[in-house]
Amino acid sequence: MFAKAQNRLNPTLFSLKILFAFFASSFSGALAESAYIEIQSAKLRSEPKAWSAPILDLKYGEEVEIIEKTSSWLKVKTKSNSEGFLHVTATTSRPVILKSTATTSARLDSFEAVLAGKGFSSATELNYAKSHEKLDFTLVDMMENRSRAVEPEVLAFMKEGKLNIKAEG
Amino acid sequence: MKNFSLLLIVLLVSGCASIQDSIIGFGKDVINTLPGETNSDEFKVEDKTYLSQEEEYWLGRAVAARIFEVYKPLNNQKVNSYISKVGLSVAKFSERPDTFKGYSFQVLDSKDVNAISAPGGFVFITSGLLKLMKSEDALASVLAHEISHISKQHGLASIDNANKSKGTEVGGKVLGAVGCTEAIQLLNLAFEAAVDDIVNSLLVKGYDRDQEYEADAIALSILEKSGYAPVALSSALTEIKHTNTSSGGWFSTHPTPEERLAKLNMPDYVGPPIGAKERQVRFVNK
């Protein structure tokens, strides 16, 4: 009796399965959300912690697929199929148009087109420096370079100072 | 804001769409679209309120250069490297561990008691304030406060507060403008005005009091998370309170230490933190 009833339901179940498969595929398609790197170089990390081992460097504007989200971290998959974690603040939901390749009005000559496409950029700084001749941007460069130089030593520094590297990221 | 809206309209008419991002970044909504957050309206051309992290970085560099106009850098590689390591460690526990090109730190050669942060990740501390700090944990609390201003983009928020006169001036100049050459000039003028506003907030006017209290609250959470002693923030504020200096620098741009101490929601003291001894050794030897 039970078997017969089950047999009678099979066409319905089959239809439902088809429907489910259709909606599931549509839904998973909708969930394939992208994020774009919004900083010059973002480290894809093995754990959702800013000090965890980097897997690889992702470039400005690179698109990644979001696998999971928390309030602070995204688990992502890169185009080369590497999986890891990115801090949400290093990304944007907007596709990043690299400004050096932005298109502008055909009325512009190439120099203006480049300037116009960049928004606030090194060109803006150059103009600012010209009108403020006393400003010394080499001091800013020096400040930046120092921090870049000590960055590789920071994890050891954190460990030496017994900081809480087991904390949630 | 009204004046920057006028700029936007002119740029839309002129067809320099790619510049819009920079100009409209001055909208008040930019502070509600922090890095990593999604603003459901951000794809609407008529309501783009987004300033990219790269643009924030270029603004920050100009602000940093202006700070170097007022304060000389302390040319002590050892101290600067140490401060950088403490700052970079603290930043990793912050709400924004990375900025466009990362955080940078610099000690300023001044007896003023002051710490300053510029958009995009530039953090300064005067040797006067550094001398008041008795431990790495106290130093970390000051840097955590400044990093919190950056993560909350308080510097960018200050642009919207005080640019009325410059905006009017710029607005007047562009009424009849059409081409992109003019738009580039506008971009430069907008950059200039924005840098002025931020510098004014950092060195003269100070941030809003609520922003200062918010930065303290976030700094406290960074200290708790990182393993630095949360009590170090109140120790640092107490040292500042007891200093003989009572004007200029920090005092003219921040609420009083007493007001800030009163607002701090300190966790219960649980004894010396792990690693305090190791950190003290390197702090003394910096």
Side-chain angles (χ1 to χ4, degrees):
Chain A
M1 183 63 190
F2 179 74
K4 281 182 182 174
Q6 201 173 37
N7 281 340
R8 278 202 305 274
L9 284 174
N10 271 349
T12 314
L13 276 174
F14 181 74
S15 303
L16 284 172
K17 277 181 185 173
I18 295 288
L19 270 173
F20 177 78
F22 173 76
F23 283 116
S25 64
S26 306
F27 190 54
S28 65
L31 280 181
E33 195 182 341
S34 290
Y36 303 84
I37 306 302
E38 213 207 351
I39 60 177
Q40 194 182 49
S41 174
K43 295 200 182 309
L44 184 72
R45 297 193 180 275
S46 55
E47 292 179 81
K49 295 175 179 182
W51 52 90
S52 77
I55 298 168
L56 53 91
D57 288 341
L58 299 174
K59 289 177 187 167
Y60 187 27
E62 199 164 333
E63 182 181 2
V64 291
E65 183 187 326
I66 299 172
I67 300 170
E68 279 177 47
K69 277 184 187 178
T70 66
S71 59
S72 302
W73 290 89
L74 303 176
K75 186 176 183 185
V76 301
K77 185 159 81 174
T78 67
K79 296 279 186 197
S80 57
N81 284 326
S82 296
E83 287 189 15
F85 295 87
L86 283 171
H87 199 273
V88 71
T89 57
T91 68
T92 174
S93 59
R94 299 155 49 100
V96 174
I97 299 165
L98 292 183
K99 290 175 177 175
S100 58
T101 59
T103 56
T104 53
S105 164
R107 289 178 298 140
L108 298 175
D109 63 31
S110 60
F111 178 68
E112 283 183 320
V114 169
L115 283 182
K118 278 179 174 291
F120 291 166
S121 65
S122 56
T124 323
E125 179 178 297
L126 199 62
N127 177 76
Y128 189 76
K130 270 185 194 168
S131 57
H132 297 79
E133 287 180 354
K134 287 183 181 173
L135 293 184
D136 186 354
F137 279 89
T138 63
L139 295 175
V140 187
D141 296 337
M142 200 171 67
M143 179 180 179
E144 286 191 65
N145 292 339
R146 183 190 311 111
S147 286
R148 299 303 87 78
V150 302
E151 174 68 45
E153 302 166 32
V154 172
L155 183 57
F157 184 82
M158 290 167 71
K159 286 179 178 170
E160 180 193 69
K162 295 189 164 52
L163 294 184
N164 188 15
I165 56 173
K166 289 181 180 170
E168 291 292 313
Chain B
M1 187 52 224
K2 185 182 171 186
N3 299 307
F4 279 110
S5 299
L6 176 62
L7 283 177
L8 174 57
I9 291 163
V10 170
L11 290 169
L12 283 166
V13 170
S14 71
C16 291
S18 53
I19 304 183
Q20 290 164 23
D21 282 340
S22 298
I23 303 297
I24 58 185
F26 294 103
K28 65 181 171 59
D29 289 343
V30 72
I31 60 170
N32 296 325
T33 311
L34 297 175
E37 291 184 358
T38 303
N39 179 339
S40 58
D41 293 329
E42 69 190 28
F43 292 102
K44 294 180 184 172
V45 173
E46 69 274 20
D47 190 26
K48 286 165 73 180
T49 54
Y50 190 82
L51 192 67
S52 73
Q53 294 198 50
E54 180 178 2
E55 289 170 298
E56 180 188 6
Y57 164 76
W58 290 110
L59 273 174
R61 271 182 61 88
V63 171
R66 291 280 298 273
I67 289 167
F68 281 125
E69 201 178 23
V70 178
Y71 291 109
K72 286 180 184 170
L74 180 77
N75 292 317
N76 182 324
Q77 185 67 18
K78 192 178 173 191
V79 173
N80 280 311
S81 292
Y82 172 74
I83 302 295
S84 299
K85 286 178 192 172
V86 175
L88 289 169
S89 301
V90 167
K92 290 189 185 298
F93 292 93
S94 75
E95 294 177 356
R96 190 181 178 189
D98 299 301
T99 58
F100 185 69
K101 284 197 182 178
Y103 289 89
S104 306
F105 300 85
Q106 176 69 51
V107 181
L108 300 169
D109 190 3
S110 168
K111 287 179 181 172
D112 278 3
V113 173
N114 210 352
I116 307 164
S117 55
F122 300 89
V123 179
F124 303 86
I125 180 170
T126 60
S127 47
L129 178 53
L130 184 56
K131 275 180 189 163
L132 286 180
M133 299 297 100
K134 302 286 190 233
S135 66
E136 180 175 310
D137 292 35
L139 167 65
S141 75
V142 170
L143 299 179
H145 174 95
E146 296 306 321
I147 286 166
S148 301
H149 280 310
I150 292 168
S151 67
K152 285 293 176 190
Q153 296 188 323
H154 289 159
L156 296 185
S158 68
I159 298 168
D160 191 40
N161 294 338
N163 201 22
K164 296 287 187 284
S165 59
K166 287 208 186 315
T168 305
E169 188 186 333
V170 174
K173 283 178 183 169
V174 301
L175 272 172
V178 284
C180 287
T181 304
E182 289 89 346
I184 291 166
Q185 288 169 355
L186 284 175
L187 187 69
N188 291 332
L189 286 168
F191 186 82
E192 174 107 28
V195 173
D196 282 350
D197 283 348
I198 298 168
V199 169
N200 187 45
S201 275
L202 295 178
L203 298 180
V204 182
K205 207 162 56 82
Y207 288 132
D208 291 344
R209 299 173 92 74
D210 285 345
Q211 291 174 329
E212 293 296 347
Y213 298 140
E214 183 182 30
D216 277 344
I218 298 170
L220 205 54
S221 70
I222 291 172
L223 296 174
E224 280 188 275
K225 191 170 162 185
S226 63
Y228 281 116
V231 72
L233 179 55
S234 59
S235 304
L237 289 171
T238 304
E239 289 296 338
I240 294 166
K241 185 174 85 172
H242 291 147
T243 183
N244 291 327
T245 310
S246 59
S247 63
W250 185 288
F251 297 94
S252 61
T253 56
H254 287 72
T256 65
E258 290 87 344
E259 288 169 317
R260 292 173 62 189
L261 283 163
K263 288 271 184 182
L264 278 183
N265 188 14
M266 291 297 300
D268 293 336
Y269 182 68
V270 290
I274 295 166
K277 195 187 285 181
E278 288 83 354
R279 295 198 291 273
Q280 194 59 20
V281 170
R282 66 191 187 189
F283 177 78
V284 171
N285 293 328
K286 67 183 178 297

